[in-house]
Amino acid sequence: MEDKQLIITDDKGNEQLCEIIFTMEIEDKSYVVFSVNDSDEISAAEYMPSQTGQGEGTFKDIKEDSIWEQLEDALEAYQQELDAEENDSTH
């Protein structure tokens, strides 16, 4: 995994390069919010570290609505922060 990028492989073996927007810890679990390159799609997944500590971990679908809500709130706050920074730099 390159800095701020990850590769997602779907069930059919197709790979997509994604840009990491941010990571977040919720209830002792790690989550990553990312955008799929070449699209406006934003998604998230639970990050599962490698059990051996070697190599890269895997991603697991998020099934809990409460986790999605927390990640959506965090994304909205992050985007508002970016908008505020952009407005400050243009004035």
Side-chain angles (χ1 to χ4, degrees), residues 69-87:
E69 289 172 11
Q70 290 179 63
L71 291 170
E72 287 171 353
D73 290 345
L75 179 60
E76 184 176 315
Y78 176 79
Q79 288 175 325
Q80 288 174 352
E81 184 179 311
L82 287 179
D83 289 345
E85 288 176 7
E86 186 176 299
N87 287 338

Side-chain angles (χ1 to χ4, degrees), residues 12-66:
K12 297 176 185 175
N14 299 318
E15 293 183 344
Q16 290 183 310
L17 182 63
C18 301
E19 188 78 23
I20 297 171
I21 299 171
F22 64 87
T23 59
M24 185 174 179
E25 297 285 324
I26 302 174
E27 299 173 7
D28 296 327
K29 295 180 180 177
S30 298
Y31 297 89
V32 61
V33 177
F34 57 92
S35 64
V36 178
N37 284 0
D38 302 325
S39 79
D40 292 333
E41 180 184 348
I42 294 177
S43 193
E46 180 181 348
Y47 176 70
M48 311 288 290
S50 169
Q51 295 293 341
T52 63
Q54 297 178 343
E56 296 182 7
T58 59
F59 294 98
K60 179 180 170 185
D61 289 339
I62 301 169
K63 298 189 187 318
E64 301 89 1
D65 288 340
S66 63

